[in-house]
């Protein structure tokens, strides 16, 4: 595998960086932008990530209109605000209906337009002009995008029925995107934008991944979605590769990475593949960006944070046990270790004499291999695919009673959204909780605040719209109040001691608070700082973790569990 080197790539006008949170998309995009600008190219770098840390990377205030970086005068950086754009978009859609429809209907529509898909549509609206305007294309040699649109969003934009008014009146399914009437006059611009994305002469998609199994699976999903739209000009960047190591910790991590590379999905192996070595420093500031592709070691001058006392996993288990809470969620982005933490909590609670029902939505269902040691634990698996197919079948059967084929195409695409998957799985989880009154139920994959609000607003809506009665099961109706009761429910947020995972976890906490769910405990997982590694590279990274551990301790009011990375 070659080292990533922009000098050997045939670069197109547009470069899209994509991958799950925390894999190094932003760092890589910024380093490429600086390297190209240093070669005399006129570069525009645009971020559409709601959790963007571009301002931290460049150490200055940025805006959506673009700011020239003083140390790199050929580089202009624009930090778009998709959350703000989503708010404006929601109001544009809802304004015609305010005062004309009941408040419960408006509330339902508003929540439909509050999900991640709507934020992405709004982000796509913002950056479409950058990929369609001739004046922008002429002003810059290369335009880089930190975060690419998903295949789901692009397919939705291509459906004629997605632009029709029926969606605002439909109650057949829990739409996460809602109608696009607020953007009706931009259909042609979107069409051009999607065409430019699919044009291999104009666009390269750079799939960024860590050398980890979960990260590869996420990249594979993104790649498949985009390939289904003929966006095939893709290459793979594997970020954070270790050498052989100098101590037990580094050698163990090296072996794990090599095993993940060996078992990488075959579909990814067809792409050109490049490696970026693990860095000992945070990618913050122009000097670190310029060092990113340099073989010369870069020494980071970091602040050495004093850590407050952190809690143990036993402290967390004891708190749940004493409080007698009945529902425990482990929440967080993929790859942070939710399943591992859920298993540890279940075991700890069972050892204290509690009956525990541990359930997972992981298709691999690793839990079945974990629980033989305890007679107090019942393990079940919620088959995400099976539940999604069941939910899709119910929604489509109802929709077919009144809808035409064109409109059904919209509903079918809407049912592929992340929000719909959460709702389908959540219904199955609600049934488990309903049957487990005498147990503590621990689930390792949980719905977002948006999904809970969507279910709740839809429930209120159903009270008023007789023809939709029965779509929200009784088990969910009973569960929603329980989840909002902090004396009955615990939400444990799991994150990593790095910038992007912590920022995303903060947004998750805010999302949950919006839905009325309180979070008390955080687990910072996979910490190098806790291993006492002697490897120089890992030791430097361990020092940089302290900033993020300190921040989580502040956010959680010192209800922060710190766990070492597993060898």
């Amino acid at each position: 595998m070659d080292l990533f080197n922009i000098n050997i790539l045939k670069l197109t006008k547009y470069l899209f960086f994509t991958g799950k949170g925390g894999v190094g998309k932003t760092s890589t995009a910024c380093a490429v932008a600086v390297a190209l600008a240093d070669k005399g190219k006129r570069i525009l770098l645009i971020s559409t990530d709601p959790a963007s840390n571009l301002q931290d990377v460049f150490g200055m205030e940025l805006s959506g209109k673009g700011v020239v970086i003083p140390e790199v005068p050929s580089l202009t950086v624009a930090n778009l605000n998709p959350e703000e754009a989503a708010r404006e978009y929601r109001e544009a859609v809802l304004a015609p209906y305010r005062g004309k429809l009941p408040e419960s209907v408006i509330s339902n529509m508003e929540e439909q337009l509050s999900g991640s898909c709507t934020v992405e549509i709004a982000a796509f609206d913002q950056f479409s002009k950058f990929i369609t305007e001739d004046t922008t294309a002429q002003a810059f040699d290369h335009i880089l995008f930190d975060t690419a649109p998903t295949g789901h969003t692009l397919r939705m934009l291509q459906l004629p029925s997605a632009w029709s008014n029926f969606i605002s009146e439909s109650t057949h399914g829990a739409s996460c995107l809602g109608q696009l009437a607020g953007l009706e006059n931009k259909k042609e611009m979107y069409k051009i934008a999607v065409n430019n994305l699919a044009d291999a002469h104009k666009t390269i998609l750079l799939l960024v991944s860590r050398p980890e199994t979960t990260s590869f699976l996420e990249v594979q999903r993104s790649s498949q979605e985009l390939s289904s739209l003929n966006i095939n000009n893709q290459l793979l960047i594997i970020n954070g590769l270790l050498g052989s190591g100098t101590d037990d910790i580094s050698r163990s991590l090296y072996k794990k990475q090599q095993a993940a590379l060996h078992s990488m999905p075959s579909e990814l192996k067809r792409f050109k593949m490049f490696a970026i070595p693990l860095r000992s420093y945070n990618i913050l500031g122009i000097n670190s960006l310029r060092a990113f592709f340099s073989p010369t070691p870069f020494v980071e001058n970091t602040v050495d944070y004093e850590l407050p006392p952190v809690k143990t996993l036993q402290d967390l288990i004891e708190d749940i046990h004493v409080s007698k809470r009945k529902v425990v969620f482990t929440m967080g982005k993929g790859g942070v270790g939710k399943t591992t933490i859920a298993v540890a909590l279940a075991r700890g609670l069972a050892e204290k004499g509690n009956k525990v029902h541990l359930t997972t939505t992981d298709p691999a269902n690793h839990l079945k291999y974990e629980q033989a040691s305890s007679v107090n634990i019942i393990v079940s698996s919620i088959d995400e695919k099976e539940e999604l197919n069941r939910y899709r079948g119910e929604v489509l059967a109802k929709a077919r009673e009144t809808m035409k084929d064109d409109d059904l195409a919209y509903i079918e695409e809407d049912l592929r959204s992340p929000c719909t998957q959460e709702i389908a799985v959540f219904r199955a989880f609600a049934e488990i909780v309903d049957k487990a009154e005498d147990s503590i139920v621990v689930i390792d994959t949980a719905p977002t605040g948006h999904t809970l609000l969507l279910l709740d607003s839809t429930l209120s809506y159903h009270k008023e719209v007789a023809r939709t009665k029965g779509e929200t099961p009784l088990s969910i109706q009973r569960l929603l109040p329980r989840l909002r009761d902090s004396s009955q429910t615990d939400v444990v947020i799991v994150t990593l001691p790095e910038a992007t995972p912590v920022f995303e976890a903060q947004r998750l906490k805010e999302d949950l608070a919006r839905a009325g769910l309180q979070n008390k405990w955080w687990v910072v997982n996979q910490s190098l700082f806790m291993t006492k590694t002697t490897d120089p590279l890992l030791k430097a990274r361990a020092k940089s973790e302290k900033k993020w551990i300190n921040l989580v301790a502040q956010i959680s009011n010192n209800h922060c569990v710190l766990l070492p990375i597993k060898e």
Side-chain angles (χ1 to χ4, degrees), residues 33-34 37 43 45 54-55 57-62 66-78 285-286 289-290:
V34 170
I43 304 299
L45 170 63
L54 271 188
Q55 300 197 146
V57 173
F58 287 103
M60 61 183 294
E61 287 295 317
L62 301 171
V67 174
V68 174
I69 305 300
E71 301 99 319
V72 195
S74 293
L75 173 60
T76 300
V77 179
I286 298 299
L289 290 169
R290 284 186 168 133

Side-chain angles (χ1 to χ4, degrees), residues 95-108:
Y97 301 100
R98 292 195 187 279
K100 297 177 182 177
L101 294 176
E103 195 56 41
S104 62
V105 177
I106 297 295
S107 175
N108 179 261

Side-chain angles (χ1 to χ4, degrees), residues 225-237:
E225 279 200 322
L226 295 164
S227 293
S228 71
L229 292 159
N230 295 318
I231 302 174
N232 294 309
N233 193 13
Q234 304 175 22
L235 60 83
L236 180 62
I237 298 172

Side-chain angles (χ1 to χ4, degrees), residues 46-49 52 63-65 78-82 123 126-127 130:
I46 303 162
S47 175
T48 59
D49 189 343
S52 173
S63 73
K65 294 182 179 179
N79 199 15
L80 305 183
N81 187 339
Q126 284 192 323
F127 74 59
F130 291 107

Side-chain angles (χ1 to χ4, degrees), residues 43 88 146 173 177 198 261 293 331 347 366 378 399 431-432 487:
I43 304 299
E88 293 174 3
D146 172 25
L177 185 60
L261 287 167
F293 296 118
M331 297 191 180
R347 282 180 170 165
H366 295 301
I378 295 172
E431 290 168 9
I432 288 173
S487 69

